[in-house]
Amino acid sequence: MSRTAQNYEFQQWWNKQRHSFLDSSDAAASSSSSSSSLAVDLTSSPTATTKGHHTRSARQLSWLWLLRFHKLTASVAWLTDSSISLLRTANRRISNHHRSPSAYSSSSRLNKIIRIFLILVLLLLFLELLAYRRGWHFTPPSVESAEALVERLYAKWLEIRADYLAPPLQYLANVCIVLFLIQSLDRAVLMLGCFWIKFRKLKPIPPVSYAAPDVEAAENYYPMVLVQIPMCNEREVYQQSIAAVCIQDWPRERMLVQVLDDSDDPDTQVLIKGEVQKWQQKGVQIVYRHRFVRTGYKAGNLRSAMSCDYLKDYEFVAIFDADFQPAPDFLKKTIPYFKGNDELGLVQTRWAFVNKDENLLTRLQNINLSFHFEVEQQVNGIFINFFGFNGTAGVWRIKALEDCGGWLDRTTVEDMDVAVRAHLSGWKFIYLNDVKCLCELPESYAAYKKQQHRWHSGPMQLFRLCFVDVLRSKLSVGKKANLILLFFLLRKLILPFYSFTLFCIILPLTMFLPEAELPAWVVCYVPGLMSILNILPAPRSFPFIVPYLLFENTMSVTKFNAMISGLFRLGSSYEWIVTKKLGRSSEADLIVLAEKESDPLVLESSGIHRSSSESGLDNLNKLEASKKTVKRKRNRLYRKELSLAFILLTAAARSLLTAQGIHFYFLLFQGISFLVVGLDLIGEQVS
């Protein structure tokens, strides 16, 4: 047989997946027995040709299994090496763990409750294993028929859990299921609203445009705009935010920039002052303000800046946090919406993230915030002209701020506070989904957790303070119901309550109290469907749908703790902690992005050239030279998450005794998710 014929036969064998292992082995044995007959003509006999084919198949099969064995060995070696590395990292963090002295007292209370719960489930698991070993699972003993003391105690436990423990647990589970379905319905309605907006191409239309006005008409054509950049000890990002604002395509005599520096680090103050002076020399109207009495955090900083006498002629104020970088045409895309619309108080734009692909934590944050802006903000802006101000990347009418009482520091969400008061005063809001402002996501879990604590404790503080004001306001009944039932109760209180209670408390307990149960559709199918809906605004993140679902449940403990502390004023619910930024994009990157994303005519007409940005390496070298020896960063342990990890893994072990497939896998992977977060293995890793 020729070599070409052999290759053709092998190709056929390979494409069709040829024979099973058993058939191939039989063929090889047949070939071996027939090879002892030397009188056979291999070139002419069809039978010999067939047997020769089987001989080659066996040889090829041997190489195939050898290759598979090599891959399996490599996979086992990789898993072993990864597991050893993971154990070493966990052991190092456990041995080097030091509890932060600024731990929240409410968090300590919750941590103690979770520890007691952990001890309880461990005792229950021991009891169930003992019962399983004795065979009591198959023939449950009764108190009358029990002989041994342990058997009598187990029989009594069965009666107690069936008559007294399971009914209230099932009732609580049913309540949480109803809340879960209501919240899922709310998400579905929001998605339908978003689809309707896309289908009908609904979007705000500005009455005027600042494309190319006459130079002579500039004084009357462009309104006076104040731009504020509040910051506090943010030496990593101050340059890029100041540069982004100073290169705005807006007449310089019609724009004033306020750099509101609350830094308590003298070196940082010097660097920011130097940056301000640099832009002053270029002809930009920019001032530096520093408060000696730093009360009220960001709200106090903004309130102090708005009290300046020289601001009486300004009509609008744009606010950017220190890590935000608006495009040069930002003001030209937002200010026109105020023209001829005297009821409009706020124009909010979308955030875009320069580091969304930095690690798994930033990818998961991007999913959440994409849904928030693409769906929640856009739907509320189009249909009811109200949404929560995001605190930055927005433009306010100064009259609207003054009308609602200005900035107040009574909560940690001063942006939501001023938006609610402006809404109660009758002002309308517009959200622009197609105008994006670059910013950073927190890359470490510690920074993200602090941010989420502030974002979820503040709304509960505000709800307590403004509930009566909402009832007394002149809003319609529908808008009052939307504000109280949807904006505050459903999305800020019920969501963290049921997600933590249902999946972290009730589900593990149902494994030890099987008389109460959660249907599989509550554990798996509905959460999976909701995760798909949440991830639709960020379609590139579909590979992370399972980690997203698990991580959202993991974050529920932080959100629940923050919600409780804000609602009942526990612990440090009023502590305002600045989210740490790393300065992922430089000023040079900003210019490149401006050239890519903005209209070339905008850049040409405003005279923005690469030469106008000269901070570059000089200022970076100044920054490095002035840095002090700072406290070394380290990854830490999170006790609540670790305790919940062991609770869920214990419940997963208990579910094996009753062969609950979906519940077991959910508890197992959710427990692993809590373990990964508790060991701080998600987000930025400090070597």
Side-chain angles (χ1 to χ4, degrees):
M1 184 181 291
S2 65
R3 184 174 299 275
T4 305
Q6 294 178 16
N7 291 338
Y8 177 75
E9 289 179 7
F10 175 73
Q11 188 66 32
Q12 280 188 325
W13 173 84
W14 183 267
N15 290 338
K16 296 179 181 178
Q17 307 234 334
R18 297 4 136 212
H19 309 286
S20 67
F21 177 73
L22 184 59
D23 293 340
S24 299
S25 299
D26 292 341
S30 175
S31 173
S32 177
S33 62
S34 62
S35 62
S36 59
S37 177
L38 300 178
V40 178
D41 186 2
L42 296 178
T43 59
S44 59
S45 173
T47 307
T49 303
T50 304
K51 293 179 180 179
H53 165 73
H54 288 303
T55 303
R56 287 191 301 276
S57 298
R59 189 184 309 115
Q60 294 155 359
L61 189 63
S62 300
W63 282 105
L64 179 63
W65 281 105
L66 184 62
L67 179 61
R68 290 181 177 177
F69 177 75
H70 175 73
K71 291 182 177 180
L72 178 62
T73 305
S75 300
V76 171
W78 179 83
L79 287 174
T80 303
D81 183 65
S82 300
S83 301
I84 293 174
S85 176
L86 180 63
L87 290 174
R88 286 177 177 174
T89 301
N91 180 62
R92 182 170 62 251
R93 291 180 184 175
I94 292 172
S95 60
N96 295 333
H97 175 62
H98 299 285
R99 187 175 180 180
S100 173
S102 61
Y104 308 119
S105 60
S106 60
S107 177
S108 300
R109 294 191 191 99
L110 182 59
N111 193 20
K112 291 178 181 178
I113 295 174
I114 293 175
R115 285 187 177 184
I116 294 173
F117 186 36
L118 174 59
I119 296 173
L120 176 63
V121 297
L122 288 175
L123 291 175
L124 291 176
L125 178 63
F126 175 77
L127 180 61
E128 295 297 336
L129 290 175
L130 178 62
Y132 191 82
R133 181 181 178 85
R134 297 291 182 89
W136 297 337
H137 273 277
F138 306 101
T139 56
S142 62
V143 178
E144 295 78 12
S145 63
E147 298 178 358
L149 177 61
V150 177
E151 187 177 3
R152 193 177 301 112
L153 289 175
Y154 184 73
K156 192 64 178 176
W157 159 248
L158 292 180
E159 290 184 0
I160 293 174
R161 82 182 190 186
D163 297 337
Y164 301 102
L165 298 180
L169 180 64
Q170 186 66 62
Y171 176 78
L172 180 60
N174 293 338
V175 170
C176 288
I177 290 174
V178 171
L179 296 177
F180 177 38
L181 293 178
I182 293 174
Q183 196 273 335
S184 300
L185 179 63
D186 175 60
R187 287 289 173 111
V189 171
L190 287 174
M191 282 301 304
L192 289 176
C194 184
F195 288 146
W196 181 255
I197 291 173
K198 298 294 183 183
F199 177 72
R200 298 297 301 270
K201 298 181 180 179
L202 302 176
K203 59 183 298 186
I205 300 176
V208 298
S209 175
Y210 288 112
D214 296 332
V215 178
E216 294 78 7
E219 185 172 354
N220 298 325
Y221 196 78
Y222 289 95
M224 299 286 285
V225 178
L226 171 68
V227 183
Q228 295 178 327
I229 313 175
M231 58 180 63
C232 180
N233 295 326
E234 297 180 269
R235 62 167 65 205
E236 292 84 3
V237 294
Y238 74 94
Q239 282 183 319
Q240 58 201 42
S241 59
I242 294 176
V245 168
C246 289
I247 63 174
Q248 283 296 302
D249 184 20
W250 200 259
R252 291 185 174 181
E253 66 277 3
R254 312 293 292 178
M255 181 181 74
L256 173 66
V257 180
Q258 283 184 326
V259 178
L260 311 177
D261 182 23
D262 259 4
S263 304
D264 55 6
D265 178 19
D267 289 341
T268 303
Q269 296 176 25
V270 171
L271 291 173
I272 297 175
K273 285 181 182 178
E275 186 72 11
V276 170
Q277 291 173 358
K278 183 193 77 174
W279 287 101
Q280 286 175 342
Q281 294 172 0
K282 295 181 179 182
V284 177
Q285 293 192 77
I286 181 172
V287 296
Y288 173 86
R289 283 181 56 86
H290 177 76
R291 294 191 302 161
F292 293 99
V293 181
R294 299 169 57 246
T295 58
Y297 303 108
K298 180 181 177 181
N301 197 2
L302 293 171
R303 183 175 63 245
S304 173
M306 292 300 296
S307 63
C308 298
D309 295 334
Y310 56 79
L311 300 183
K312 60 182 180 180
D313 295 329
Y314 288 84
E315 189 175 356
F316 305 105
V317 54
I319 302 172
F320 302 100
D321 283 350
D323 60 314
F324 278 72
Q325 307 152 37
D329 57 353
F330 179 88
L331 294 178
K332 283 192 172 183
K333 288 184 176 180
T334 53
I335 298 296
Y337 292 90
F338 290 97
K339 288 287 187 177
N341 192 353
D342 295 336
E343 295 181 343
L344 182 61
L346 168 68
V347 173
Q348 173 71 56
T349 64
R350 181 170 180 167
W351 298 358
F353 310 107
V354 297
N355 61 336
K356 63 182 179 181
D357 297 324
E358 187 66 26
N359 54 46
L360 179 60
L361 178 61
T362 58
R363 292 177 186 272
L364 300 180
Q365 292 179 69
N366 179 58
I367 295 173
N368 252 341
L369 291 172
S370 295
F371 181 87
H372 170 69
F373 285 105
E374 184 82 20
V375 180
E376 292 179 336
Q377 298 291 76
Q378 185 170 211
V379 170
N380 289 326
I382 290 292
F383 292 108
I384 61 177
N385 296 121
F386 168 72
F387 46 81
F389 175 46
N390 294 116
T392 178
V395 182
W396 277 93
R397 188 188 297 271
I398 294 180
K399 183 181 178 181
L401 287 176
E402 295 172 347
D403 187 37
C404 67
W407 298 100
L408 301 179
D409 57 359
R410 57 181 183 171
T411 70
T412 58
V413 284
E414 72 293 325
D415 44 10
M416 184 182 295
D417 187 358
V418 71
V420 169
R421 287 184 282 111
H423 181 55
L424 297 180
S425 299
W427 293 96
K428 295 182 178 180
F429 302 165
I430 283 181
Y431 171 73
L432 303 179
N433 192 57
D434 54 350
V435 180
K436 300 179 180 180
C437 189
L438 294 174
C439 63
E440 283 189 28
L441 291 166
E443 296 181 11
S444 69
Y445 180 69
Y448 179 65
K449 186 175 182 178
K450 292 176 182 178
Q451 181 194 70
Q452 292 301 303
H453 188 276
R454 175 166 55 87
W455 285 4
H456 286 82
S457 64
M460 291 298 97
Q461 303 164 10
L462 180 60
F463 179 64
R464 286 188 298 100
L465 295 171
C466 72
F467 178 73
V468 176
D469 295 335
V470 174
L471 296 178
R472 293 175 177 174
S473 67
K474 297 180 181 179
L475 294 178
S476 64
V477 176
K479 289 187 176 181
K480 289 181 181 179
N482 171 75
L483 197 57
I484 295 176
L485 299 180
L486 295 181
F487 186 77
F488 280 114
L489 290 181
L490 183 61
R491 297 167 189 166
K492 303 298 188 295
L493 189 149
I494 291 178
L495 176 58
F497 170 76
Y498 86 75
S499 58
F500 173 72
T501 306
L502 189 62
F503 297 111
C504 300
I505 302 298
I506 295 177
L507 179 58
L509 278 178
T510 57
M511 298 297 103
F512 299 97
L513 305 176
E515 293 81 5
E517 61 179 2
L518 284 180
W521 58 268
V522 174
V523 177
C524 179
Y525 303 127
V526 176
L529 179 61
M530 289 300 102
S531 297
I532 293 175
L533 291 181
N534 289 351
I535 214 168
L536 284 178
R540 291 180 55 194
S541 301
F542 260 99
F544 303 95
I545 187 169
V546 174
Y548 170 73
L549 171 61
L550 297 174
F551 182 69
E552 281 301 289
N553 290 333
T554 305
M555 284 303 300
S556 65
V557 61
T558 297
K559 297 176 182 179
F560 175 82
N561 179 50
M563 181 268 293
I564 293 296
S565 64
L567 188 62
F568 298 103
R569 292 184 287 185
L570 303 175
S572 302
S573 58
Y574 285 89
E575 185 176 2
W576 211 102
I577 301 175
V578 178
T579 304
K580 183 67 176 176
K581 292 100 176 178
L582 300 178
R584 283 295 177 187
S585 57
S586 64
E587 187 181 341
D589 298 329
L590 174 67
I591 300 297
V592 173
L593 286 168
E595 293 174 351
K596 287 182 178 180
E597 298 186 1
S598 300
D599 189 348
L601 294 176
V602 171
L603 296 173
E604 292 176 7
S605 62
S606 60
I608 301 173
H609 301 289
R610 192 177 300 271
S611 59
S612 67
S613 172
E614 62 183 19
S615 58
L617 291 176
D618 292 338
N619 280 344
L620 287 175
N621 291 333
K622 268 199 310 184
L623 176 63
E624 292 296 331
S626 66
K627 280 186 178 179
K628 295 180 179 179
T629 304
V630 297
K631 184 179 179 181
R632 181 182 176 184
K633 293 196 302 181
R634 64 172 65 188
N635 293 99
R636 50 169 298 185
L637 298 180
Y638 298 94
R639 300 186 178 190
K640 291 192 298 295
E641 285 80 355
L642 288 176
S643 298
L644 284 168
F646 292 126
I647 289 172
L648 293 170
L649 293 175
T650 303
R654 170 62 182 87
S655 69
L656 286 176
L657 301 180
T658 51
Q660 300 189 43
I662 291 180
H663 296 73
F664 165 74
Y665 287 114
F666 182 86
L667 288 167
L668 175 64
F669 289 115
Q670 190 63 68
I672 293 174
S673 175
F674 269 101
L675 187 62
V676 169
V677 173
L679 294 174
D680 201 5
L681 296 174
I682 188 172
E684 182 186 22
Q685 299 298 302
V686 181
S687 60

